[in-house]
Amino acid sequence: MSKKNYKLEARNLNAYYGSFQALKDINIAMEEKAVTAFIGPSGCGKSTFLRTLNRMNDYIDGFRVEGDVLLDGKEIYTKDVRVDELRKEVGMVFQKPNPFPKTVFENVVYGLKIQGIKDKKRLTEAAESSLRKTALWDEVKDKLDKSALALSGGQQQRLCIARALAISPSVILMDEPTSALDPISTAKIEELIHELKKDYTIVIVTHNMQQAGRVSDQTAFFYMGELIEFAKTKTMFTSPKHDRTQNYITGRFG
Amino acid sequence: MTNADKNRLKDKAFQVFGVFCTFIGLVVLAIFLIDIIIEGASRIDWDFLTSLPSRRASRAGIYTAWVGTLWVLVLTSIIAFPLGIAAGVYLEEYSKKTKMANFLEINIANLAGVPSIIYGLLGMEMFGRIMGLGGSLLAGALTLSLLILPIIIVTTREAIKAVPRSIRDASYALGASKWQTTWNQVLPASFGGIMTGIILSLSRAVGEAAPLIVIGALAYVPFVPTSPTDEFTVLPIQIFNWTSRPQADFLVNAAAAIIILLLITFILNGIAVYLRNKWQKRVKW
């Protein structure tokens, strides 16, 4: 164990889709209750790495990992780790808002319901508290029994975050959560990330350099499946160590 | 005539040809319907629906035939739906994309193209003789289930495939198991498509005579079946039987029975269309 208690760690992590190696010898340690941004050009492996953190790649045929991924110092790729338990701890928000074609309320409490929680009062309380955390409560409190698909794109994405919060995870993974949203909705989500990092460890993949600069405490730059550089966001954006990082964040390629 | 004129002419010519092709099907159907209705509509009355078969055309009815058809429909549904939907779900959601899965897939598609009389022979041997069900309703329903299983499997898979990956991802990411995801998200979202497929497959089963004749369903059944082990007849067999008689009166009976059979088919197809529209409206991505 390292001196410091890291929330998420990868040690000598390699990942493959069939014979294609998507991640090469990744070593990284992310702090608790901080925002870590993954940046890099398309196909660099940042999304793949994000999805190894809650084992969302498990269902992809031919995908396999070597090395270790640790959550709170515990290996997550072992036989005795149950994927559903892991995902209660590590929530995820996707690129395109993907609410279920059900009511707003049903969306928020889905994670609790599949755990077998039926108590109406408890579900209602959980729904309200999650929706308040995402600043959505006032906007949707009269529409809880309306279809979630009737909400705007930005509201849908905040609903997806509320849905993830409802099962009380400690980590939230965000895969380009604002790339399908307009600037105002994007600003709201970024504001939300600032709020959430008081209680949650957040990992966000983004194509938007300014966004990484605005929301994250530390940034990891991936290129061709390798982790090129990992540093405090301020340090990386002012004095990157590697030329590649420099070129990417100044927009010379990507 | 300039080149442009020629092109315009060709364009027009093809349009006319296209309209002609489209209408051939409609016109044939219309002529067929009109002919049948003129011949048989006046024969349909309450007695026709509630009389047992008879050697005298004027006293013969289709009571046993339509009750048999309903029995077969219900039994076939009970047998084929769970099997077909479960197989479709397994192939689409669970099975790994291995060579074996590929092999299964191709063969299920092949099964859908096997002539129905072959299913009849299989049913006669397997259900009729080996399982000892003879020419009973159950043997008939099992045979028809085999016949429509491939169709149900294929349409179930198509409907499930249309559910976006992102919905499954969302469910998995919240800690749902594969079964919870399938049951709570994938099946409800594909319900309309699956129902449409199975109702269309039923309307095919309703019209089948050949496999049932092979397993030994009778043309003359002087009683209404009351249990799955009873012998039976169905509308298509009754129609077949009447059309092969020399007396003209029986042809009128056949026309009347065809109208009833078509009515059942149209109702089934109508339900399919209704369900499809209703569920498509509800589920939008």
Side-chain angles (χ1 to χ4, degrees):
Chain A
M1 281 290 295
S2 34
K3 293 176 283 181
K4 211 166 171 180
N5 278 338
Y6 290 109
K7 186 72 190 173
L8 277 165
E9 270 180 273
R11 293 183 192 155
N12 308 320
L13 181 75
N14 291 290
Y16 306 84
Y17 293 109
S19 57
F20 173 75
Q21 186 168 7
L23 293 174
K24 294 169 191 160
D25 202 30
I26 306 289
N27 284 285
I28 192 170
M30 288 167 264
E31 277 165 34
E32 193 169 13
K33 294 183 183 168
V35 179
T36 305
F38 293 172
I39 60 170
S42 297
C44 68
K46 57 191 189 304
S47 281
T48 300
F49 182 48
L50 189 79
R51 294 166 73 96
T52 60
L53 299 176
N54 67 344
R55 296 185 50 174
M56 277 300 277
N57 290 324
D58 281 18
Y59 291 119
I60 296 172
D61 283 337
F63 182 83
R64 66 197 162 87
V65 293
E66 289 165 3
D68 304 308
V69 180
L70 297 98
L71 174 69
D72 295 318
K74 281 193 214 89
E75 174 64 46
I76 65 167
Y77 275 94
T78 54
K79 281 238 164 66
D80 57 316
V81 170
R82 286 184 48 191
V83 170
D84 52 339
E85 296 291 335
L86 170 69
R87 291 181 188 151
K88 281 176 206 160
E89 217 28 58
V90 186
M92 190 163 203
V93 177
F94 297 85
Q95 186 170 355
K96 235 181 90 196
N98 56 353
F100 301 123
K102 300 185 175 205
T103 65
V104 173
F105 181 77
E106 287 297 326
N107 265 278
V108 185
V109 300
Y110 180 74
L112 295 170
K113 275 197 167 171
I114 57 172
Q115 290 176 26
I117 297 167
K118 291 196 188 85
D119 181 22
K120 185 86 186 155
K121 193 165 158 254
R122 204 173 144 200
L123 292 177
T124 315
E125 282 168 7
E128 177 170 348
S129 119
S130 306
L131 288 169
R132 282 195 191 283
K133 280 184 202 158
T134 52
L136 203 57
W137 177 251
D138 290 329
E139 291 166 52
V140 302
K141 67 179 175 214
D142 302 323
K143 302 184 204 164
L144 290 179
D145 54 352
K146 296 268 155 48
S147 169
L149 301 175
L151 300 179
S152 74
Q155 286 175 327
Q156 287 186 11
Q157 192 63 306
R158 278 184 288 150
L159 177 65
C160 291
I161 297 174
R163 181 173 72 182
L165 296 182
I167 53 172
S168 332
S170 58
V171 179
I172 301 165
L173 309 176
M174 299 183 169
D175 192 356
E176 297 181 48
T178 63
S179 64
L181 303 182
D182 63 87
I184 292 168
S185 303
T186 300
K188 279 188 183 156
I189 302 264
E190 289 182 7
E191 205 178 306
L192 189 56
I193 293 173
H194 267 293
E195 279 301 309
L196 293 176
K197 79 172 182 183
K198 289 175 198 151
D199 301 309
Y200 304 90
T201 306
I202 295 171
V203 186
I204 177 172
V205 164
T206 177
H207 268 127
N208 181 330
M209 290 312 107
Q210 285 84 8
Q211 182 168 69
R214 283 191 300 264
V215 303
S216 71
D217 303 303
Q218 1 171 36
T219 299
F221 173 63
F222 289 82
Y223 184 71
M224 305 271 285
E226 286 176 61
L227 175 61
I228 305 291
E229 191 166 347
F230 178 51
K232 288 232 173 311
T233 301
K234 269 192 196 131
T235 322
M236 184 176 292
F237 278 79
T238 48
S239 50
K241 284 201 195 72
H242 295 262
D243 289 346
R244 268 231 168 76
T245 318
Q246 166 94 38
N247 288 344
Y248 183 71
I249 58 183
T250 52
R252 236 166 281 170
F253 85 105
Chain B
M1 204 192 257
T2 66
N3 247 345
D5 283 339
K6 266 190 213 156
N7 284 339
R8 232 166 281 151
L9 196 71
K10 277 186 198 161
D11 209 30
K12 259 268 129 25
F14 182 77
Q15 268 189 30
V16 171
F17 181 65
V19 169
F20 173 72
C21 291
T22 312
F23 273 86
I24 281 186
L26 280 178
V27 167
V28 170
L29 182 68
I31 291 174
F32 167 71
L33 279 179
I34 292 166
D35 185 48
I36 289 290
I37 289 173
I38 290 175
E39 185 150 7
S42 58
R43 180 70 182 81
I44 298 176
D45 53 21
W46 191 246
D47 276 347
F48 185 66
L49 294 177
T50 55
S51 294
L52 300 174
S54 164
R55 269 182 301 166
R56 264 182 287 167
S58 58
R59 281 178 52 188
I62 55 166
Y63 190 33
T64 53
W66 73 258
V67 173
T69 290
L70 284 190
W71 263 104
V72 167
L73 265 183
V74 171
L75 286 177
T76 306
S77 314
I78 294 172
I79 299 163
F81 293 0
L83 288 178
I85 295 174
V89 167
Y90 170 76
L91 286 172
E92 200 55 42
E93 296 287 316
Y94 284 80
S95 85
K96 293 238 155 64
K97 304 285 169 268
T98 56
K99 283 209 176 103
M100 183 64 193
N102 222 341
F103 178 76
L104 273 177
E105 216 163 287
I106 292 169
N107 278 291
I108 287 169
N110 281 340
L111 279 179
V114 172
S116 58
I117 195 156
I118 309 285
Y119 281 105
L121 290 170
L122 175 69
M124 172 184 70
E125 187 59 33
M126 208 159 93
F127 307 128
R129 293 202 181 135
I130 297 176
M131 288 170 62
L133 295 170
S136 69
L137 269 171
L138 196 55
L142 284 166
T143 307
L144 287 181
S145 297
L146 285 186
L147 179 77
I148 64 172
L149 256 182
I151 310 174
I152 298 179
I153 294 174
V154 169
T155 46
T156 299
R157 295 190 60 183
E158 291 302 320
I160 287 178
K161 225 182 251 173
V163 177
R165 171 91 240 158
S166 64
I167 291 298
R168 294 181 179 83
D169 278 350
S171 179
Y172 290 141
L174 290 165
S177 65
K178 207 154 206 175
W179 170 246
Q180 285 173 320
T181 302
T182 304
W183 183 251
N184 292 310
Q185 302 299 339
V186 177
L187 281 179
S190 53
F191 182 75
I194 293 175
M195 281 311 282
T196 310
I198 58 190
I199 289 170
L200 291 180
S201 74
L202 270 190
S203 76
R204 166 155 186 215
V206 159
E208 285 291 346
L212 296 179
I213 290 175
V214 175
I215 66 157
L218 307 167
Y220 178 76
V221 182
F223 56 85
V224 170
T226 51
S227 92
T229 50
D230 285 349
E231 289 184 321
F232 70 107
T233 190
V234 289
L235 279 168
I237 294 179
Q238 186 67 72
I239 292 164
F240 173 70
N241 175 270
W242 277 338
T243 51
S244 52
R245 304 247 187 136
Q247 300 97 318
D249 285 353
F250 277 113
L251 289 182
V252 176
N253 280 0
I258 288 171
I259 295 174
I260 301 293
L261 181 60
L262 282 176
L263 216 61
I264 294 179
T265 317
F266 284 157
I267 289 172
L268 283 174
N269 288 359
I271 295 172
V273 171
Y274 170 75
L275 281 176
R276 188 169 53 209
N277 290 345
K278 187 179 159 199
W279 283 82
Q280 265 172 0
K281 249 175 242 156
R282 191 175 303 181
V283 183
K284 267 197 198 122
W285 315 108

